[in-house]
Amino acid sequence: MSIVTCSGSRPIVVCGQYERLLEEAAAVMENGLSPASITANLETHFVGQRVVYYPSLTSTMDVARRETEQGAAEGTVVIADEQTAGKGRLKRIWLSPRGNIALSIILYPSLVYLPSLIMLASLAVVHSIEAVTGLKSVIKWPNDVLINGRKVCGILVESEVKGGRVDYALIGIGVNVNLRLSDFPETAPMATSLSDELGREVSCIDVTRRLLVEVERLYLVLPSGESIYEEWRDRLVTLGRRVRVSLGKTTYEGIAESVAEDGSLLLRRPDGSLTKIVAGDVTLRDYM
Ligand code: BTN
């Protein structure tokens, strides 16, 4: 086990044998999130066995990318109490105040598994939320997790492919765990949090630990040939619905008929044609 914490902006590396140091480091962490609390007896082989923790950083994606440049081990998790420049899909801002989960997981998959990362990440979130809180959630294509029609989690997958090989892939996951929507009235109509759904605080540590176990389990399923595509497809609230898909200035409307195994959305247009959409922002028309 290798744990990196940081004091101010200077990371401190703490390895397994320095348990006392680890406990001291854990004691100063805010938010109850500490590397030790995440990795202690974590039932994974590699995901979360190395944790890089910051009380505050710009974006876990940026720090994770820097970690890959220094040869970070597969499964390294970069986690922060707070992000000051959290990144969403389609160049949006992701709000990351304390009390919520903001993490990135470093993976080095084969190229063939790259499209599955979005699927496995959203499934891992759905499974973890249900395991820890009992709340049922669904996936809105491509990878938003919703509870009662509102977004509780966003996922961002970034990767670098060079010469037909994946240099690295980063799964960024932001979960609204204890976000008080009343503090963010502008997002309140579209967003929710686990605590708002349950009417009580939820442990970020419990959700994080379960999430890491689920991510590893599903990641290890990929080479076995067992597909996670079917479960992801079946959990999509989008299919069969009237949707509007926007990407930049382009908008498509139609019925979300299906998804392909590469994760793209197959949209039946009013003129009967089928359009394959690889990225975009979906609005469920009957939720409006
Ligand atoms: C979205 O729904 O637009 C995706 C949001 C992804 C947010 C997470 S929080 C952890 C990681 N770091 C970031 O800056 N973004 C992702």
Side-chain angles (χ1 to χ4, degrees), residues 47-73:
V47 173
Q49 293 298 329
R50 178 169 181 267
V51 172
V52 181
Y53 166 86
Y54 284 76
S56 180
L57 47 54
T58 51
S59 160
T60 57
M61 300 305 271
D62 296 340
V63 174
R65 188 171 309 100
R66 284 207 297 275
E67 282 284 323
T68 67
E69 286 159 11
Q70 288 154 21

mmCIF file with all atom_site columns, all heavy atoms in Angstrom, residues 47-73:
data_model
loop_
_atom_site.group_PDB
_atom_site.id
_atom_site.type_symbol
_atom_site.label_atom_id
_atom_site.label_alt_id
_atom_site.label_comp_id
_atom_site.label_asym_id
_atom_site.label_entity_id
_atom_site.label_seq_id
_atom_site.pdbx_PDB_ins_code
_atom_site.Cartn_x
_atom_site.Cartn_y
_atom_site.Cartn_z
_atom_site.occupancy
_atom_site.B_iso_or_equiv
_atom_site.pdbx_formal_charge
_atom_site.auth_seq_id
_atom_site.auth_comp_id
_atom_site.auth_asym_id
_atom_site.auth_atom_id
_atom_site.pdbx_PDB_model_num
ATOM 1   N N   . VAL A 1 47 ? -7.079  -0.989 -7.441  1.00 0.00 ? 47 VAL A N   1
ATOM 2   C CA  . VAL A 1 47 ? -7.808  0.287  -7.451  1.00 0.00 ? 47 VAL A CA  1
ATOM 3   C C   . VAL A 1 47 ? -7.918  0.815  -6.016  1.00 0.00 ? 47 VAL A C   1
ATOM 4   O O   . VAL A 1 47 ? -8.459  0.150  -5.142  1.00 0.00 ? 47 VAL A O   1
ATOM 5   C CB  . VAL A 1 47 ? -9.210  0.151  -8.097  1.00 0.00 ? 47 VAL A CB  1
ATOM 6   C CG1 . VAL A 1 47 ? -10.010 1.443  -7.943  1.00 0.00 ? 47 VAL A CG1 1
ATOM 7   C CG2 . VAL A 1 47 ? -9.083  -0.205 -9.572  1.00 0.00 ? 47 VAL A CG2 1
ATOM 8   N N   . GLY A 1 48 ? -7.357  1.981  -5.781  1.00 0.00 ? 48 GLY A N   1
ATOM 9   C CA  . GLY A 1 48 ? -7.405  2.588  -4.447  1.00 0.00 ? 48 GLY A CA  1
ATOM 10  C C   . GLY A 1 48 ? -6.325  2.094  -3.510  1.00 0.00 ? 48 GLY A C   1
ATOM 11  O O   . GLY A 1 48 ? -6.294  2.478  -2.343  1.00 0.00 ? 48 GLY A O   1
ATOM 12  N N   . GLN A 1 49 ? -5.414  1.258  -4.014  1.00 0.00 ? 49 GLN A N   1
ATOM 13  C CA  . GLN A 1 49 ? -4.310  0.831  -3.145  1.00 0.00 ? 49 GLN A CA  1
ATOM 14  C C   . GLN A 1 49 ? -3.242  1.920  -3.049  1.00 0.00 ? 49 GLN A C   1
ATOM 15  O O   . GLN A 1 49 ? -2.382  1.892  -2.185  1.00 0.00 ? 49 GLN A O   1
ATOM 16  C CB  . GLN A 1 49 ? -3.696  -0.489 -3.634  1.00 0.00 ? 49 GLN A CB  1
ATOM 17  C CG  . GLN A 1 49 ? -4.644  -1.671 -3.494  1.00 0.00 ? 49 GLN A CG  1
ATOM 18  C CD  . GLN A 1 49 ? -5.039  -1.944 -2.035  1.00 0.00 ? 49 GLN A CD  1
ATOM 19  O OE1 . GLN A 1 49 ? -4.265  -1.690 -1.110  1.00 0.00 ? 49 GLN A OE1 1
ATOM 20  N NE2 . GLN A 1 49 ? -6.250  -2.448 -1.823  1.00 0.00 ? 49 GLN A NE2 1
ATOM 21  N N   . ARG A 1 50 ? -3.311  2.872  -3.976  1.00 0.00 ? 50 ARG A N   1
ATOM 22  C CA  . ARG A 1 50 ? -2.476  4.076  -3.840  1.00 0.00 ? 50 ARG A CA  1
ATOM 23  C C   . ARG A 1 50 ? -3.414  5.282  -3.962  1.00 0.00 ? 50 ARG A C   1
ATOM 24  O O   . ARG A 1 50 ? -4.153  5.398  -4.951  1.00 0.00 ? 50 ARG A O   1
ATOM 25  C CB  . ARG A 1 50 ? -1.388  4.109  -4.919  1.00 0.00 ? 50 ARG A CB  1
ATOM 26  C CG  . ARG A 1 50 ? -0.538  5.356  -4.853  1.00 0.00 ? 50 ARG A CG  1
ATOM 27  C CD  . ARG A 1 50 ? 0.700   5.263  -5.749  1.00 0.00 ? 50 ARG A CD  1
ATOM 28  N NE  . ARG A 1 50 ? 1.477   6.483  -5.630  1.00 0.00 ? 50 ARG A NE  1
ATOM 29  C CZ  . ARG A 1 50 ? 1.340   7.528  -6.434  1.00 0.00 ? 50 ARG A CZ  1
ATOM 30  N NH1 . ARG A 1 50 ? 0.485   7.507  -7.443  1.00 0.00 ? 50 ARG A NH1 1
ATOM 31  N NH2 . ARG A 1 50 ? 2.068   8.609  -6.247  1.00 0.00 ? 50 ARG A NH2 1
ATOM 32  N N   . VAL A 1 51 ? -3.385  6.117  -2.950  1.00 0.00 ? 51 VAL A N   1
ATOM 33  C CA  . VAL A 1 51 ? -4.299  7.258  -2.914  1.00 0.00 ? 51 VAL A CA  1
ATOM 34  C C   . VAL A 1 51 ? -3.495  8.543  -2.796  1.00 0.00 ? 51 VAL A C   1
ATOM 35  O O   . VAL A 1 51 ? -2.609  8.656  -1.957  1.00 0.00 ? 51 VAL A O   1
ATOM 36  C CB  . VAL A 1 51 ? -5.275  7.143  -1.716  1.00 0.00 ? 51 VAL A CB  1
ATOM 37  C CG1 . VAL A 1 51 ? -6.093  8.417  -1.555  1.00 0.00 ? 51 VAL A CG1 1
ATOM 38  C CG2 . VAL A 1 51 ? -6.210  5.950  -1.909  1.00 0.00 ? 51 VAL A CG2 1
ATOM 39  N N   . VAL A 1 52 ? -3.800  9.490  -3.652  1.00 0.00 ? 52 VAL A N   1
ATOM 40  C CA  . VAL A 1 52 ? -3.172  10.811 -3.595  1.00 0.00 ? 52 VAL A CA  1
ATOM 41  C C   . VAL A 1 52 ? -4.264  11.783 -3.154  1.00 0.00 ? 52 VAL A C   1
ATOM 42  O O   . VAL A 1 52 ? -5.251  11.972 -3.873  1.00 0.00 ? 52 VAL A O   1
ATOM 43  C CB  . VAL A 1 52 ? -2.628  11.221 -4.979  1.00 0.00 ? 52 VAL A CB  1
ATOM 44  C CG1 . VAL A 1 52 ? -1.951  12.587 -4.912  1.00 0.00 ? 52 VAL A CG1 1
ATOM 45  C CG2 . VAL A 1 52 ? -1.665  10.171 -5.497  1.00 0.00 ? 52 VAL A CG2 1
ATOM 46  N N   . TYR A 1 53 ? -4.091  12.329 -1.968  1.00 0.00 ? 53 TYR A N   1
ATOM 47  C CA  . TYR A 1 53 ? -5.150  13.146 -1.375  1.00 0.00 ? 53 TYR A CA  1
ATOM 48  C C   . TYR A 1 53 ? -4.748  14.610 -1.284  1.00 0.00 ? 53 TYR A C   1
ATOM 49  O O   . TYR A 1 53 ? -3.621  14.917 -0.881  1.00 0.00 ? 53 TYR A O   1
ATOM 50  C CB  . TYR A 1 53 ? -5.458  12.620 0.028   1.00 0.00 ? 53 TYR A CB  1
ATOM 51  C CG  . TYR A 1 53 ? -6.285  13.572 0.852   1.00 0.00 ? 53 TYR A CG  1
ATOM 52  C CD1 . TYR A 1 53 ? -7.670  13.568 0.761   1.00 0.00 ? 53 TYR A CD1 1
ATOM 53  C CD2 . TYR A 1 53 ? -5.678  14.493 1.690   1.00 0.00 ? 53 TYR A CD2 1
ATOM 54  C CE1 . TYR A 1 53 ? -8.423  14.468 1.492   1.00 0.00 ? 53 TYR A CE1 1
ATOM 55  C CE2 . TYR A 1 53 ? -6.431  15.394 2.435   1.00 0.00 ? 53 TYR A CE2 1
ATOM 56  C CZ  . TYR A 1 53 ? -7.799  15.380 2.319   1.00 0.00 ? 53 TYR A CZ  1
ATOM 57  O OH  . TYR A 1 53 ? -8.544  16.265 3.042   1.00 0.00 ? 53 TYR A OH  1
ATOM 58  N N   . TYR A 1 54 ? -5.648  15.485 -1.633  1.00 0.00 ? 54 TYR A N   1
ATOM 59  C CA  . TYR A 1 54 ? -5.467  16.923 -1.444  1.00 0.00 ? 54 TYR A CA  1
ATOM 60  C C   . TYR A 1 54 ? -6.705  17.491 -0.746  1.00 0.00 ? 54 TYR A C   1
ATOM 61  O O   . TYR A 1 54 ? -7.823  17.195 -1.179  1.00 0.00 ? 54 TYR A O   1
ATOM 62  C CB  . TYR A 1 54 ? -5.337  17.654 -2.779  1.00 0.00 ? 54 TYR A CB  1
ATOM 63  C CG  . TYR A 1 54 ? -4.010  17.498 -3.469  1.00 0.00 ? 54 TYR A CG  1
ATOM 64  C CD1 . TYR A 1 54 ? -3.691  16.322 -4.129  1.00 0.00 ? 54 TYR A CD1 1
ATOM 65  C CD2 . TYR A 1 54 ? -3.087  18.530 -3.486  1.00 0.00 ? 54 TYR A CD2 1
ATOM 66  C CE1 . TYR A 1 54 ? -2.472  16.173 -4.776  1.00 0.00 ? 54 TYR A CE1 1
ATOM 67  C CE2 . TYR A 1 54 ? -1.866  18.394 -4.126  1.00 0.00 ? 54 TYR A CE2 1
ATOM 68  C CZ  . TYR A 1 54 ? -1.568  17.207 -4.760  1.00 0.00 ? 54 TYR A CZ  1
ATOM 69  O OH  . TYR A 1 54 ? -0.370  17.069 -5.397  1.00 0.00 ? 54 TYR A OH  1
ATOM 70  N N   . PRO A 1 55 ? -6.533  18.306 0.274   1.00 0.00 ? 55 PRO A N   1
ATOM 71  C CA  . PRO A 1 55 ? -7.712  18.984 0.835   1.00 0.00 ? 55 PRO A CA  1
ATOM 72  C C   . PRO A 1 55 ? -8.398  19.858 -0.220  1.00 0.00 ? 55 PRO A C   1
ATOM 73  O O   . PRO A 1 55 ? -9.600  19.919 -0.296  1.00 0.00 ? 55 PRO A O   1
ATOM 74  C CB  . PRO A 1 55 ? -7.139  19.845 1.963   1.00 0.00 ? 55 PRO A CB  1
ATOM 75  C CG  . PRO A 1 55 ? -5.815  19.250 2.283   1.00 0.00 ? 55 PRO A CG  1
ATOM 76  C CD  . PRO A 1 55 ? -5.301  18.638 1.011   1.00 0.00 ? 55 PRO A CD  1
ATOM 77  N N   . SER A 1 56 ? -7.566  20.522 -1.049  1.00 0.00 ? 56 SER A N   1
ATOM 78  C CA  . SER A 1 56 ? -8.118  21.388 -2.083  1.00 0.00 ? 56 SER A CA  1
ATOM 79  C C   . SER A 1 56 ? -7.181  21.364 -3.286  1.00 0.00 ? 56 SER A C   1
ATOM 80  O O   . SER A 1 56 ? -5.958  21.413 -3.117  1.00 0.00 ? 56 SER A O   1
ATOM 81  C CB  . SER A 1 56 ? -8.241  22.810 -1.535  1.00 0.00 ? 56 SER A CB  1
ATOM 82  O OG  . SER A 1 56 ? -8.781  23.657 -2.515  1.00 0.00 ? 56 SER A OG  1
ATOM 83  N N   . LEU A 1 57 ? -7.735  21.249 -4.457  1.00 0.00 ? 57 LEU A N   1
ATOM 84  C CA  . LEU A 1 57 ? -6.924  21.320 -5.678  1.00 0.00 ? 57 LEU A CA  1
ATOM 85  C C   . LEU A 1 57 ? -7.798  21.883 -6.791  1.00 0.00 ? 57 LEU A C   1
ATOM 86  O O   . LEU A 1 57 ? -8.991  22.120 -6.594  1.00 0.00 ? 57 LEU A O   1
ATOM 87  C CB  . LEU A 1 57 ? -6.325  19.956 -6.067  1.00 0.00 ? 57 LEU A CB  1
ATOM 88  C CG  . LEU A 1 57 ? -7.204  18.697 -6.089  1.00 0.00 ? 57 LEU A CG  1
ATOM 89  C CD1 . LEU A 1 57 ? -8.416  18.823 -6.923  1.00 0.00 ? 57 LEU A CD1 1
ATOM 90  C CD2 . LEU A 1 57 ? -6.403  17.489 -6.520  1.00 0.00 ? 57 LEU A CD2 1
ATOM 91  N N   . THR A 1 58 ? -7.193  22.088 -7.956  1.00 0.00 ? 58 THR A N   1
ATOM 92  C CA  . THR A 1 58 ? -7.985  22.625 -9.074  1.00 0.00 ? 58 THR A CA  1
ATOM 93  C C   . THR A 1 58 ? -8.958  21.557 -9.556  1.00 0.00 ? 58 THR A C   1
ATOM 94  O O   . THR A 1 58 ? -10.179 21.682 -9.419  1.00 0.00 ? 58 THR A O   1
ATOM 95  C CB  . THR A 1 58 ? -7.057  23.067 -10.213 1.00 0.00 ? 58 THR A CB  1
ATOM 96  O OG1 . THR A 1 58 ? -6.167  21.975 -10.512 1.00 0.00 ? 58 THR A OG1 1
ATOM 97  C CG2 . THR A 1 58 ? -6.294  24.313 -9.852  1.00 0.00 ? 58 THR A CG2 1
ATOM 98  N N   . SER A 1 59 ? -8.399  20.481 -10.128 1.00 0.00 ? 59 SER A N   1
ATOM 99  C CA  . SER A 1 59 ? -9.224  19.382 -10.626 1.00 0.00 ? 59 SER A CA  1
ATOM 100 C C   . SER A 1 59 ? -8.446  18.088 -10.425 1.00 0.00 ? 59 SER A C   1
ATOM 101 O O   . SER A 1 59 ? -7.248  18.031 -10.737 1.00 0.00 ? 59 SER A O   1
ATOM 102 C CB  . SER A 1 59 ? -9.517  19.589 -12.110 1.00 0.00 ? 59 SER A CB  1
ATOM 103 O OG  . SER A 1 59 ? -9.896  18.376 -12.698 1.00 0.00 ? 59 SER A OG  1
ATOM 104 N N   . THR A 1 60 ? -9.115  17.068 -9.943  1.00 0.00 ? 60 THR A N   1
ATOM 105 C CA  . THR A 1 60 ? -8.421  15.780 -9.764  1.00 0.00 ? 60 THR A CA  1
ATOM 106 C C   . THR A 1 60 ? -7.959  15.232 -11.112 1.00 0.00 ? 60 THR A C   1
ATOM 107 O O   . THR A 1 60 ? -7.012  14.453 -11.179 1.00 0.00 ? 60 THR A O   1
ATOM 108 C CB  . THR A 1 60 ? -9.338  14.751 -9.074  1.00 0.00 ? 60 THR A CB  1
ATOM 109 O OG1 . THR A 1 60 ? -10.537 14.603 -9.847  1.00 0.00 ? 60 THR A OG1 1
ATOM 110 C CG2 . THR A 1 60 ? -9.680  15.153 -7.652  1.00 0.00 ? 60 THR A CG2 1
ATOM 111 N N   . MET A 1 61 ? -8.622  15.657 -12.212 1.00 0.00 ? 61 MET A N   1
ATOM 112 C CA  . MET A 1 61 ? -8.225  15.169 -13.540 1.00 0.00 ? 61 MET A CA  1
ATOM 113 C C   . MET A 1 61 ? -6.822  15.689 -13.881 1.00 0.00 ? 61 MET A C   1
ATOM 114 O O   . MET A 1 61 ? -5.992  14.947 -14.408 1.00 0.00 ? 61 MET A O   1
ATOM 115 C CB  . MET A 1 61 ? -9.205  15.641 -14.626 1.00 0.00 ? 61 MET A CB  1
ATOM 116 C CG  . MET A 1 61 ? -10.627 15.201 -14.443 1.00 0.00 ? 61 MET A CG  1
ATOM 117 S SD  . MET A 1 61 ? -10.862 13.428 -14.272 1.00 0.00 ? 61 MET A SD  1
ATOM 118 C CE  . MET A 1 61 ? -11.052 12.883 -15.957 1.00 0.00 ? 61 MET A CE  1
ATOM 119 N N   . ASP A 1 62 ? -6.583  16.957 -13.567 1.00 0.00 ? 62 ASP A N   1
ATOM 120 C CA  . ASP A 1 62 ? -5.281  17.550 -13.899 1.00 0.00 ? 62 ASP A CA  1
ATOM 121 C C   . ASP A 1 62 ? -4.165  16.910 -13.072 1.00 0.00 ? 62 ASP A C   1
ATOM 122 O O   . ASP A 1 62 ? -3.085  16.613 -13.579 1.00 0.00 ? 62 ASP A O   1
ATOM 123 C CB  . ASP A 1 62 ? -5.316  19.068 -13.647 1.00 0.00 ? 62 ASP A CB  1
ATOM 124 C CG  . ASP A 1 62 ? -6.309  19.749 -14.577 1.00 0.00 ? 62 ASP A CG  1
ATOM 125 O OD1 . ASP A 1 62 ? -6.656  19.140 -15.607 1.00 0.00 ? 62 ASP A OD1 1
ATOM 126 O OD2 . ASP A 1 62 ? -6.744  20.865 -14.256 1.00 0.00 ? 62 ASP A OD2 1
ATOM 127 N N   . VAL A 1 63 ? -4.449  16.702 -11.794 1.00 0.00 ? 63 VAL A N   1
ATOM 128 C CA  . VAL A 1 63 ? -3.419  16.089 -10.939 1.00 0.00 ? 63 VAL A CA  1
ATOM 129 C C   . VAL A 1 63 ? -3.203  14.632 -11.364 1.00 0.00 ? 63 VAL A C   1
ATOM 130 O O   . VAL A 1 63 ? -2.065  14.149 -11.416 1.00 0.00 ? 63 VAL A O   1
ATOM 131 C CB  . VAL A 1 63 ? -3.829  16.189 -9.448  1.00 0.00 ? 63 VAL A CB  1
ATOM 132 C CG1 . VAL A 1 63 ? -2.839  15.440 -8.569  1.00 0.00 ? 63 VAL A CG1 1
ATOM 133 C CG2 . VAL A 1 63 ? -3.888  17.655 -9.030  1.00 0.00 ? 63 VAL A CG2 1
ATOM 134 N N   . ALA A 1 64 ? -4.278  13.937 -11.711 1.00 0.00 ? 64 ALA A N   1
ATOM 135 C CA  . ALA A 1 64 ? -4.132  12.531 -12.133 1.00 0.00 ? 64 ALA A CA  1
ATOM 136 C C   . ALA A 1 64 ? -3.295  12.453 -13.415 1.00 0.00 ? 64 ALA A C   1
ATOM 137 O O   . ALA A 1 64 ? -2.455  11.562 -13.571 1.00 0.00 ? 64 ALA A O   1
ATOM 138 C CB  . ALA A 1 64 ? -5.510  11.914 -12.344 1.00 0.00 ? 64 ALA A CB  1
ATOM 139 N N   . ARG A 1 65 ? -3.521  13.382 -14.325 1.00 0.00 ? 65 ARG A N   1
ATOM 140 C CA  . ARG A 1 65 ? -2.743  13.365 -15.568 1.00 0.00 ? 65 ARG A CA  1
ATOM 141 C C   . ARG A 1 65 ? -1.261  13.562 -15.263 1.00 0.00 ? 65 ARG A C   1
ATOM 142 O O   . ARG A 1 65 ? -0.397  12.868 -15.805 1.00 0.00 ? 65 ARG A O   1
ATOM 143 C CB  . ARG A 1 65 ? -3.243  14.468 -16.514 1.00 0.00 ? 65 ARG A CB  1
ATOM 144 C CG  . ARG A 1 65 ? -2.612  14.367 -17.898 1.00 0.00 ? 65 ARG A CG  1
ATOM 145 C CD  . ARG A 1 65 ? -3.242  15.302 -18.910 1.00 0.00 ? 65 ARG A CD  1
ATOM 146 N NE  . ARG A 1 65 ? -4.685  15.185 -18.936 1.00 0.00 ? 65 ARG A NE  1
ATOM 147 C CZ  . ARG A 1 65 ? -5.524  16.028 -18.327 1.00 0.00 ? 65 ARG A CZ  1
ATOM 148 N NH1 . ARG A 1 65 ? -5.072  17.064 -17.649 1.00 0.00 ? 65 ARG A NH1 1
ATOM 149 N NH2 . ARG A 1 65 ? -6.813  15.848 -18.397 1.00 0.00 ? 65 ARG A NH2 1
ATOM 150 N N   . ARG A 1 66 ? -0.962  14.458 -14.358 1.00 0.00 ? 66 ARG A N   1
ATOM 151 C CA  . ARG A 1 66 ? 0.448   14.673 -13.965 1.00 0.00 ? 66 ARG A CA  1
ATOM 152 C C   . ARG A 1 66 ? 1.013   13.407 -13.325 1.00 0.00 ? 66 ARG A C   1
ATOM 153 O O   . ARG A 1 66 ? 2.166   13.058 -13.523 1.00 0.00 ? 66 ARG A O   1
ATOM 154 C CB  . ARG A 1 66 ? 0.549   15.853 -13.002 1.00 0.00 ? 66 ARG A CB  1
ATOM 155 C CG  . ARG A 1 66 ? 0.410   17.203 -13.691 1.00 0.00 ? 66 ARG A CG  1
ATOM 156 C CD  . ARG A 1 66 ? 1.131   18.295 -12.932 1.00 0.00 ? 66 ARG A CD  1
ATOM 157 N NE  . ARG A 1 66 ? 0.585   18.514 -11.605 1.00 0.00 ? 66 ARG A NE  1
ATOM 158 C CZ  . ARG A 1 66 ? -0.464  19.299 -11.334 1.00 0.00 ? 66 ARG A CZ  1
ATOM 159 N NH1 . ARG A 1 66 ? -1.081  19.932 -12.325 1.00 0.00 ? 66 ARG A NH1 1
ATOM 160 N NH2 . ARG A 1 66 ? -0.900  19.462 -10.111 1.00 0.00 ? 66 ARG A NH2 1
ATOM 161 N N   . GLU A 1 67 ? 0.176   12.736 -12.551 1.00 0.00 ? 67 GLU A N   1
ATOM 162 C CA  . GLU A 1 67 ? 0.618   11.485 -11.915 1.00 0.00 ? 67 GLU A CA  1
ATOM 163 C C   . GLU A 1 67 ? 1.002   10.445 -12.976 1.00 0.00 ? 67 GLU A C   1
ATOM 164 O O   . GLU A 1 67 ? 1.961   9.705  -12.796 1.00 0.00 ? 67 GLU A O   1
ATOM 165 C CB  . GLU A 1 67 ? -0.504  10.927 -11.036 1.00 0.00 ? 67 GLU A CB  1
ATOM 166 C CG  . GLU A 1 67 ? -0.633  11.622 -9.707  1.00 0.00 ? 67 GLU A CG  1
ATOM 167 C CD  . GLU A 1 67 ? 0.462   11.201 -8.720  1.00 0.00 ? 67 GLU A CD  1
ATOM 168 O OE1 . GLU A 1 67 ? 0.837   10.029 -8.712  1.00 0.00 ? 67 GLU A OE1 1
ATOM 169 O OE2 . GLU A 1 67 ? 0.946   12.079 -7.986  1.00 0.00 ? 67 GLU A OE2 1
ATOM 170 N N   . THR A 1 68 ? 0.231   10.376 -14.064 1.00 0.00 ? 68 THR A N   1
ATOM 171 C CA  . THR A 1 68 ? 0.555   9.378  -15.104 1.00 0.00 ? 68 THR A CA  1
ATOM 172 C C   . THR A 1 68 ? 1.902   9.698  -15.738 1.00 0.00 ? 68 THR A C   1
ATOM 173 O O   . THR A 1 68 ? 2.644   8.801  -16.115 1.00 0.00 ? 68 THR A O   1
ATOM 174 C CB  . THR A 1 68 ? -0.528  9.321  -16.211 1.00 0.00 ? 68 THR A CB  1
ATOM 175 O OG1 . THR A 1 68 ? -0.526  10.555 -16.938 1.00 0.00 ? 68 THR A OG1 1
ATOM 176 C CG2 . THR A 1 68 ? -1.894  9.012  -15.662 1.00 0.00 ? 68 THR A CG2 1
ATOM 177 N N   . GLU A 1 69 ? 2.204   10.988 -15.847 1.00 0.00 ? 69 GLU A N   1
ATOM 178 C CA  . GLU A 1 69 ? 3.493   11.392 -16.438 1.00 0.00 ? 69 GLU A CA  1
ATOM 179 C C   . GLU A 1 69 ? 4.649   10.929 -15.563 1.00 0.00 ? 69 GLU A C   1
ATOM 180 O O   . GLU A 1 69 ? 5.762   10.733 -16.024 1.00 0.00 ? 69 GLU A O   1
ATOM 181 C CB  . GLU A 1 69 ? 3.546   12.916 -16.622 1.00 0.00 ? 69 GLU A CB  1
ATOM 182 C CG  . GLU A 1 69 ? 2.671   13.389 -17.776 1.00 0.00 ? 69 GLU A CG  1
ATOM 183 C CD  . GLU A 1 69 ? 2.290   14.866 -17.674 1.00 0.00 ? 69 GLU A CD  1
ATOM 184 O OE1 . GLU A 1 69 ? 2.862   15.585 -16.829 1.00 0.00 ? 69 GLU A OE1 1
ATOM 185 O OE2 . GLU A 1 69 ? 1.398   15.290 -18.433 1.00 0.00 ? 69 GLU A OE2 1
ATOM 186 N N   . GLN A 1 70 ? 4.357   10.732 -14.268 1.00 0.00 ? 70 GLN A N   1
ATOM 187 C CA  . GLN A 1 70 ? 5.407   10.255 -13.356 1.00 0.00 ? 70 GLN A CA  1
ATOM 188 C C   . GLN A 1 70 ? 5.312   8.749  -13.142 1.00 0.00 ? 70 GLN A C   1
ATOM 189 O O   . GLN A 1 70 ? 5.877   8.207  -12.202 1.00 0.00 ? 70 GLN A O   1
ATOM 190 C CB  . GLN A 1 70 ? 5.293   10.985 -12.023 1.00 0.00 ? 70 GLN A CB  1
ATOM 191 C CG  . GLN A 1 70 ? 5.728   12.447 -12.137 1.00 0.00 ? 70 GLN A CG  1
ATOM 192 C CD  . GLN A 1 70 ? 5.078   13.337 -11.088 1.00 0.00 ? 70 GLN A CD  1
ATOM 193 O OE1 . GLN A 1 70 ? 4.612   12.849 -10.058 1.00 0.00 ? 70 GLN A OE1 1
ATOM 194 N NE2 . GLN A 1 70 ? 5.033   14.619 -11.345 1.00 0.00 ? 70 GLN A NE2 1
ATOM 195 N N   . GLY A 1 71 ? 4.524   8.085  -14.007 1.00 0.00 ? 71 GLY A N   1
ATOM 196 C CA  . GLY A 1 71 ? 4.458   6.619  -13.965 1.00 0.00 ? 71 GLY A CA  1
ATOM 197 C C   . GLY A 1 71 ? 3.606   6.060  -12.847 1.00 0.00 ? 71 GLY A C   1
ATOM 198 O O   . GLY A 1 71 ? 3.893   4.972  -12.325 1.00 0.00 ? 71 GLY A O   1
ATOM 199 N N   . ALA A 1 72 ? 2.550   6.775  -12.465 1.00 0.00 ? 72 ALA A N   1
ATOM 200 C CA  . ALA A 1 72 ? 1.688   6.293  -11.366 1.00 0.00 ? 72 ALA A CA  1
ATOM 201 C C   . ALA A 1 72 ? 1.174   4.889  -11.656 1.00 0.00 ? 72 ALA A C   1
ATOM 202 O O   . ALA A 1 72 ? 0.865   4.543  -12.799 1.00 0.00 ? 72 ALA A O   1
ATOM 203 C CB  . ALA A 1 72 ? 0.501   7.245  -11.204 1.00 0.00 ? 72 ALA A CB  1
ATOM 204 N N   . ALA A 1 73 ? 1.064   4.113  -10.609 1.00 0.00 ? 73 ALA A N   1
ATOM 205 C CA  . ALA A 1 73 ? 0.585   2.728  -10.741 1.00 0.00 ? 73 ALA A CA  1
ATOM 206 C C   . ALA A 1 73 ? -0.882  2.720  -11.165 1.00 0.00 ? 73 ALA A C   1
ATOM 207 O O   . ALA A 1 73 ? -1.645  3.629  -10.823 1.00 0.00 ? 73 ALA A O   1
ATOM 208 C CB  . ALA A 1 73 ? 0.723   2.020  -9.392  1.00 0.00 ? 73 ALA A CB  1
#
